[in-house]
Amino acid sequence: IILEYVQGGEPKTRSIDLLDLRPDTDAIALVEEIQKEEPLITASCKEHIIHLVQRLQEKLGEKEDHKFYLFKVLKAHVLPLTNVAFNKSGSRFITGSYDRTCKVWDTTSGEELRTLEGHGNVVYVIAFNNPYGDKIATGSFDKTCKLWSTETGKCYHTFRGHSAEI
């Protein structure tokens, strides 16, 4: 579970690990235990968290045989991809490439929304800012990182240095 909150005017997130959750786990007891350790879970949101845990348990208990199939083939870049990243909602994704660009895509339609151009070498790391997804960060072998607008494709800022890390 990822908790989102605002502290000092800044949006923040905190993760709660539920890797040991099983369909037969007592959801109420689990949430009460988490609540003892996590001050962000107040009495007012406790019922909502219990409901979320119970929904996760239902999913864990499903015995569906999931079938995967080829949904779409996209001709993304002239040169090979280096990576792909989805925004938090999964509605958009970005691709980085050896062709020195990053492309923004609509996940459902497969439509290319825009191309982010400006790096002088391979784009080897890409990321959306979470939870909003309104900015994209790219890192390149040209020793720069760039911060872009997801909506307009405009580059806000270029960071230069010996190691461009996001």
Side-chain angles (χ1 to χ4, degrees):
I1 296 175
I2 297 178
L3 303 174
E4 296 176 353
Y5 61 102
V6 177
Q7 184 178 35
E10 292 290 317
K12 307 242 181 191
T13 61
R14 185 169 301 153
S15 299
I16 297 174
D17 176 6
L18 295 176
L19 294 175
D20 295 328
L21 183 67
R22 295 185 321 269
D24 61 343
T25 302
D26 182 344
I28 296 170
L30 174 64
V31 172
E32 286 174 352
E33 195 63 35
I34 293 169
Q35 190 177 21
K36 290 177 188 173
E37 302 292 322
E38 182 51 68
L40 289 175
I41 300 179
T42 60
S44 63
C45 71
K46 180 179 172 183
E47 288 302 316
H48 181 68
I49 302 292
I50 291 170
H51 178 72
L52 288 174
V53 170
Q54 290 170 337
R55 295 271 321 270
L56 286 170
Q57 288 177 302
E58 289 171 15
K59 289 287 184 191
L60 287 171
E62 290 177 3
K63 299 292 183 204
E64 285 187 36
D65 182 24
H66 294 284
K67 303 253 187 243
F68 296 94
Y69 62 94
L70 179 62
F71 178 67
K72 219 169 264 238
V73 175
L74 304 175
K75 301 294 182 199
H77 295 267
V78 177
L79 296 174
L81 296 181
T82 56
N83 46 44
V84 175
F86 286 85
N87 67 356
K88 186 175 180 178
S89 69
S91 62
R92 292 191 177 172
F93 68 95
I94 51 179
T95 55
S97 172
Y98 279 90
D99 69 8
R100 305 175 182 186
T101 67
C102 175
K103 294 186 182 225
V104 183
W105 303 84
D106 178 90
T107 303
T108 304
S109 70
E111 176 187 1
E112 180 185 325
L113 301 174
R114 62 196 44 80
T115 299
L116 310 179
E117 297 179 289
H119 280 295
N121 207 325
V122 174
V123 175
Y124 71 93
V125 64
I126 55 178
F128 281 99
N129 67 319
N130 279 331
Y132 305 109
D134 61 340
K135 293 178 185 64
I136 295 169
T138 59
S140 171
F141 286 142
D142 66 7
K143 297 184 181 173
T144 66
C145 289
K146 292 182 180 283
L147 189 61
W148 310 81
S149 164
T150 302
E151 295 305 314
T152 66
K154 177 183 177 252
C155 181
Y156 287 118
H157 191 74
T158 300
F159 303 90
R160 300 185 192 285
H162 294 292
S163 62
E165 294 183 18
I166 295 180

